[in-house]
Every structure is written in structure tokens, then in C-alpha cells.
Amino acid sequence: MPDADPASSPIVIDFVGGAVGFRLRSGEGRGQPLPRACGMAKGALPTVVDATAGMGRDAFFLASLGAEVTLIERSPQVHAALDRAMALASAHSDDLAAIIGRMKLVLGDSRIILPTLSPQVVLVDPMHPERTKSALVKKQMRDLRDVVGADPDAHELMAAALAAATNRVVLKWPQRAAPIAGLRKPSHQISGKTTRYDVFVTNT
């Protein structure tokens, strides 16, 4: 799969400033819903695969807390933008370089790659159902949707994730959205303001 020039994409990814930088500077920690869902609340540092890397924010956040994170992105344009953002962040400071050092970026389809891995945790954040009012969706997410499209294979991706994860799969989903059709009930849920994390424990 050929790489793509990030300059040809509307996707802008920034691990130094913006929302990601603010999140890091504000000291958000393991008590936040995402790391709790990933099993990090009590000091654990699981190996994580972010199967739908996208803008990379969640992967960067988990890596900033010490987790080793593999980011899988199947869009060449988004992959190229992530690669560039990671390089810029790594060159910016030693602290950011340490975080980026815990992030491994892979180009490809998670449904194919996940069976070759044995992560403790798989994070799945498919393109969510469109809201009726497009103004509610931030511009960056609209740009991302324009580039990568929808995720009609989310159920297949979840099946691959559930087969690969040795501890749990975390599905990031809108708080009020209907579950993915045909998916079993989660072991438990952790709710944020607008997002819920459906946790599927796999080591029982």
C-alpha cells in the first residue's frame, strides 16, 4: 500500500500544541475514562493496539501514561499525517520524544494485522454514526470522515480484536448511540461526557 503525502490531505495532526498538547499539559491521568477502560487505573501498563488510529489522540494519551501502543491506520493519507506529526513531536523535546518512543505506527488493515499480534488491550474507535446536525461534528472529524469514509466493517474489526486481545477490547462509542448490530453485550461500560467505553473482557 503506497504512502501518501500529508500535504495532499486536509488532515492536520499536532502532538505538540492544540487539544493534544493541552491534554498533556493539564495532567490528565489514569483516572480518566479511557485509561480506566484500558485497565490502567491501578498502575498497570498494558500493551495496547489502537486498531483505528485516526488522529492518534487516544494512542498519544495512553503512551503519555507509560503504555506501549501500536497504532494501526489503513488510510495512507492519515498514516502519512500521523508519521509526520510523530516525527515533529519527537524532535520538539525529550519529553515528547519519550512518549513517541512508546508509539509504533503501522500502515494496514487491522483485521489482517491483529491476528499476528497478541496485545493485552485492543482499542477500537470506528467512525461513529453520523449526527443529524453536521455542525455538531468538529471540523477535524469532518475532514477525517471525508478522507477515510465510514466503517461498515466495524463488526468484523471487533471480531478480530476480540480474538487477538489477551485481556480486553475497548470499544469507544457515542454515549447515546445504538450498539453495533450483532455484537455481544460488553462486560461493563465506563461513561464520559459524550462518549462511552464498552469493555469486553477476553481473559475469563
Side-chain angles (χ1 to χ4, degrees):
M1 190 180 297
D3 209 0
D5 181 1
S8 68
S9 169
I11 303 299
V12 177
I13 299 175
D14 179 10
F15 293 134
V16 178
V20 174
F22 174 80
R23 193 178 195 182
L24 181 63
R25 293 190 299 274
S26 66
E28 289 191 14
R30 296 166 183 263
Q32 294 296 312
L34 174 59
R36 284 170 52 209
C38 291
M40 297 177 66
K42 295 183 179 179
L45 291 175
T47 56
V48 180
V49 168
D50 185 343
T52 48
M55 304 294 287
R57 292 176 179 174
D58 289 335
F60 181 87
F61 181 37
L62 294 174
S64 76
L65 298 175
E68 297 284 339
V69 186
T70 298
L71 299 81
I72 304 177
E73 177 52 53
R74 63 182 173 184
S75 163
Q77 284 185 313
V78 179
H79 176 275
L82 278 167
D83 189 52
R84 180 173 181 272
M86 289 170 64
L88 290 173
S90 187
H92 185 268
S93 70
D94 290 344
D95 288 344
L96 287 176
I99 295 171
I100 298 299
R102 291 189 287 271
M103 298 167 63
K104 178 184 178 182
L105 179 60
V106 178
L107 175 63
D109 189 327
S110 287
R111 295 172 298 170
I112 297 171
I113 296 172
L114 278 170
T116 71
L117 307 174
S118 296
Q120 291 170 289
V121 179
V122 178
L123 173 63
V124 179
D125 181 13
M127 274 295 169
H128 302 156
E130 289 209 58
R131 301 180 187 179
T132 54
K133 296 182 180 179
S134 60
L136 294 176
V137 182
K138 292 182 179 179
K139 182 181 183 303
Q140 281 186 319
M141 294 311 298
R142 292 200 304 270
D143 290 342
L144 183 63
R145 187 186 294 275
D146 288 345
V147 170
V148 305
D151 281 325
D153 51 9
H155 191 279
E156 295 175 35
L157 176 55
M158 281 297 296
L162 288 165
T166 62
N167 182 270
R168 66 183 63 194
V169 174
V170 178
L171 173 62
K172 185 177 179 180
W173 203 240
Q175 183 70 264
R176 301 184 183 280
I180 295 175
L183 193 63
R184 69 173 172 87
K185 288 183 64 176
S187 306
H188 62 278
Q189 295 178 324
I190 296 176
S191 294
K193 292 180 180 179
T194 59
T195 301
R196 73 172 190 259
Y197 298 90
D198 293 349
V199 180
F200 301 81
V201 176
T202 60
N203 64 350
T204 55

